[in-house]
Amino acid sequence: MSERSMARAEGATVQPQLREVPAVRMEAVYKHYGDFTALNEVDLKVAKGEKIVVCGPSGSGKSTLIRCINHIEKHDEGLIYVNGTELDRQRKNIDTVRRDTGMVFQSFNLFPHMTVLENCILAPMTVNGMSEAEAKDLAMHFLTKVRIPDQAEKFPGQLSGGQQQRVAIARALCMRPKIMLFDEPTSALDPEMVKEVLETMKKLAEEGMTMLCVTHEMGFAREVADRIVFMNEGRVVEQAAPEEFFENPKSERARAFLDQIIH
Amino acid sequence: MSHFSPTAAVSYFFNYFLMKGVLVTIGLTVAAVVGGLILGMGIALLRMSSNPVLAGAARFYIWFFRGTPLLIQLVVIYSGLPQLGIKFSVITCALVGLILNEAAYLAEIVRSGFMAVSVGQREAAWALSLSPWVTFRRVTLPQAFRLMIPPLGNSINSLLKATSLASVISVEELMRRSDMLMQEHFQILEVYAAATAYYLILTSVWDAVQRRLEKHFGRSSAAKTRRVAASPPVAQASVEARA
């Protein structure tokens, strides 16, 4: 509320599309692991509904960046706002942010001792206080959406990697997040399974979900992203629309990176 | 008496006096497991805590009770503490000793179980905004428990036999009562054959229980154990490809 009115008050000076509270706002964020600087003065603003692909060489801080957004990693300095809620280490705010965000991990991280359906209903029931019947309906809705309703009673270990990752997406969606974070969702998959996961993500993008994806899938980036964020050594080196980034990268580092991955 | 009398051995096996000793052995074991698990869980949590004082205290406890013989611990509690004015009944002494000792071993088993649950599981729980209690109760504990069952079974098997040490402080469990019968009738082999049979029966029953527990908690993960343990998701995909 105050966020919103503040933004409105600044309305005259800021660009029109930023008048709305951004989905994510990072200002001068730092993250250190011992002597290693994983995030080095990162500024990033993501508008609602925007699709961002974060790319860069390994160790450049991409994963750390999106893991700071739902406070799975704790940033050391700087400000992070998610949907107007500041991640300031207050439990209440962290919980709000985590309820607003869904995350999909490289290694799926499904709960192996629960069925697909149980994986999907746990959070809606225990966090949102849904009844089992309601939660199951909701879970089946999203499992249908990721096209695996018939696997609901199976355990994750009985599914292929691609299927597991689609379950992970459905599980996150069951909390009705406003922002989806993808941390290399296809990097652990066999090539023939990458497509089904990317298709699911595309569908989600078409529906207007705000998305931040760390991925090496440049085809996906070209097709889906509104903006590419290129990182190197903990810094955001370049941000541009996909056409511009791929055709005409400004930084030397981005050119070298693209040469390597696009052959 | 220069021969072994099977009939006498059988009669000792069905001796009411000895059977009551078996019940005491079972009681000591069950109480020590339950008490040891509760205390051990608490010590494991302290040991994993980020507070160095708590973690240090837990480490000291484990070091102390695993580093000294149970026999000495029992004797000190039974005969030593009264010197300081601390007196318990015989059974209480035995239970205190067994629980304190067992907790040290179980704490390490509990800790290793929790440490073997991948960080990714906790991260997924955070990302879903599950509460710490739900995360513990529904996500980490069931997975940790499954991993704890084999070493837990081993430890309980040891404990069952270790209760015989309580005979030294005059607890009338199976071992003590066997001694008493032996001193009365001097049929050494016959009496201990009966006692041996009882210990074997008890450990075998426990083996069977343990197998059922393993089956029960492993049911959801029969296929998965291999894959998650083998971890690289590439391997998971190839399993699927073959299927």
Side-chain angles (χ1 to χ4, degrees):
Chain A
M1 165 72 196
S2 61
E3 247 330 287
R4 193 170 279 269
S5 52
M6 259 175 57
R8 212 171 276 151
E10 291 167 15
T13 52
V14 297
Q15 293 169 312
Q17 72 265 30
L18 296 181
R19 213 175 288 155
E20 202 180 359
V21 176
V24 177
R25 199 172 105 211
M26 300 175 105
E27 284 174 14
V29 171
Y30 287 86
K31 169 75 187 172
H32 309 277
Y33 296 107
D35 289 340
F36 181 72
T37 305
L39 294 181
N40 195 344
E41 204 185 353
V42 168
D43 291 306
L44 182 71
K45 207 171 236 178
V46 180
K48 282 181 180 156
E50 209 179 358
K51 287 102 189 104
I52 306 283
V53 161
V54 184
C55 65
S58 76
S60 59
K62 325 177 282 286
S63 287
T64 308
L65 175 85
I66 71 161
R67 287 158 61 88
C68 280
I69 294 173
N70 64 351
H71 207 66
I72 280 187
E73 303 281 355
K74 293 144 190 65
H75 59 291
D76 297 320
E77 289 168 57
L79 299 172
I80 302 179
Y81 292 89
V82 180
N83 265 331
T85 308
E86 187 185 353
L87 274 177
D88 54 3
R89 272 142 231 242
Q90 282 188 56
R91 193 71 248 167
K92 175 173 65 80
N93 289 354
I94 295 169
D95 284 342
T96 307
V97 166
R98 284 184 180 162
R99 267 198 292 274
D100 281 352
T101 51
M103 184 170 240
V104 175
F105 300 86
Q106 178 177 352
S107 48
F108 327 138
N109 295 348
L110 293 174
F111 305 133
H113 57 298
M114 295 181 197
T115 63
V116 164
L117 192 62
E118 285 166 350
N119 263 279
C120 291
I121 64 175
L122 180 64
M125 286 178 68
T126 60
V127 180
N128 294 344
M130 266 190 190
S131 74
E132 192 174 335
E134 271 179 305
K136 279 186 174 164
D137 280 351
L138 183 74
M140 287 315 294
H141 169 76
F142 285 113
L143 287 172
T144 308
K145 199 160 164 172
V146 301
R147 292 177 295 110
I148 35 177
D150 45 325
Q151 312 284 357
E153 299 303 327
K154 289 204 180 152
F155 287 99
Q158 298 169 295
L159 306 181
S160 73
Q163 289 173 321
Q164 291 192 52
Q165 195 59 297
R166 283 186 284 145
V167 171
I169 294 172
R171 179 176 72 174
L173 291 176
C174 281
M175 289 300 280
R176 299 205 176 275
K178 301 189 180 88
I179 303 164
M180 283 291 284
L181 308 170
F182 293 87
D183 188 2
E184 303 206 25
T186 58
S187 300
L189 297 174
D190 264 2
E192 71 264 31
M193 289 169 202
V194 169
K195 198 168 159 241
E196 63 188 57
V197 171
L198 292 180
E199 287 300 325
T200 309
M201 290 166 64
K202 270 180 213 164
K203 213 159 86 183
L204 204 57
E206 281 160 16
E207 288 167 14
M209 177 67 79
T210 309
M211 291 166 63
L212 278 99
C213 315
V214 173
T215 182
H216 298 295
E217 295 293 333
M218 290 302 132
F220 173 82
R222 222 180 258 273
E223 198 178 333
V224 176
D226 296 317
R227 182 158 41 120
I228 310 275
V229 171
F230 176 74
M231 293 187 70
N232 190 42
E233 293 175 347
R235 291 176 182 276
V236 173
V237 177
E238 195 165 337
Q239 301 191 49
E243 314 82 63
E244 201 185 325
F245 178 74
F246 288 113
E247 305 315 325
N248 192 16
K250 285 188 207 63
S251 64
E252 188 53 47
R253 193 66 193 81
R255 268 196 294 278
F257 174 76
L258 285 172
D259 276 348
Q260 270 182 348
I261 57 165
I262 301 182
H263 311 298
Chain B
M1 213 180 299
S2 61
H3 73 290
F4 177 79
S5 159
T7 10
V10 170
S11 78
Y12 284 124
F13 187 82
F14 291 107
N15 184 303
Y16 187 57
F17 181 73
L18 200 67
M19 280 182 181
K20 273 168 84 178
V22 173
L23 289 183
V24 175
T25 290
I26 294 173
L28 281 178
T29 308
V30 171
V33 168
V34 173
L37 260 181
I38 294 169
L39 183 59
M41 186 87 88
I43 291 165
L45 289 177
L46 292 184
R47 175 88 166 74
M48 291 185 281
S49 111
S50 49
N51 180 325
V53 178
L54 296 179
R59 194 175 287 174
F60 174 83
Y61 179 96
I62 293 166
W63 170 78
F64 184 83
F65 280 96
R66 290 205 312 175
T68 50
L70 173 60
L71 187 53
I72 290 190
Q73 292 164 15
L74 287 171
V75 171
V76 166
I77 293 167
Y78 179 63
S79 323
L81 290 186
Q83 204 177 317
L84 304 175
I86 306 168
K87 264 188 201 163
F88 302 116
S89 72
V90 184
I91 281 285
T92 312
C93 284
L95 277 179
V96 168
L98 287 168
I99 288 173
L100 290 179
N101 184 272
E102 185 67 7
Y105 287 92
L106 295 187
E108 285 296 88
I109 292 173
V110 170
R111 188 175 69 97
S112 70
F114 276 98
M115 285 180 44
V117 176
S118 82
V119 187
Q121 293 289 305
R122 252 156 282 174
E123 290 179 351
W126 292 337
L128 288 167
S129 51
L130 299 181
S131 69
W133 169 245
V134 171
T135 304
F136 172 76
R137 173 71 195 77
R138 305 286 301 275
V139 178
T140 40
L141 180 64
Q143 296 185 63
F145 188 68
R146 189 175 62 79
L147 298 165
M148 285 179 222
I149 296 172
L152 203 61
N154 219 2
S155 183
I156 291 172
N157 175 296
S158 296
L159 174 68
L160 203 146
K161 293 170 296 181
T163 55
S164 61
L165 289 173
S167 63
V168 174
I169 60 167
S170 80
V171 175
E172 290 193 19
E173 41 64 73
L174 178 54
M175 180 69 194
R176 177 81 177 182
R177 291 215 158 178
S178 305
D179 282 346
M180 291 161 86
L181 284 178
M182 186 270 290
Q183 276 157 15
E184 197 177 321
H185 304 286
F186 290 107
Q187 291 185 302
I188 305 170
L189 279 178
E190 288 81 352
V191 172
Y192 288 132
T196 302
Y198 271 120
Y199 278 117
L200 282 172
I201 289 168
L202 292 178
T203 50
S204 304
V205 167
W206 171 244
D207 276 350
V209 171
Q210 187 188 341
R211 264 199 302 278
R212 290 201 60 159
L213 282 175
E214 278 175 27
K215 211 170 153 191
H216 178 77
F217 284 93
R219 93 198 114 80
S220 58
S221 38
K224 178 222 74 235
T225 320
R226 289 193 308 268
R227 297 181 185 184
V228 169
S231 172
V234 184
Q236 301 188 0
S238 64
V239 170
E240 157 72 14
R242 258 180 277 131

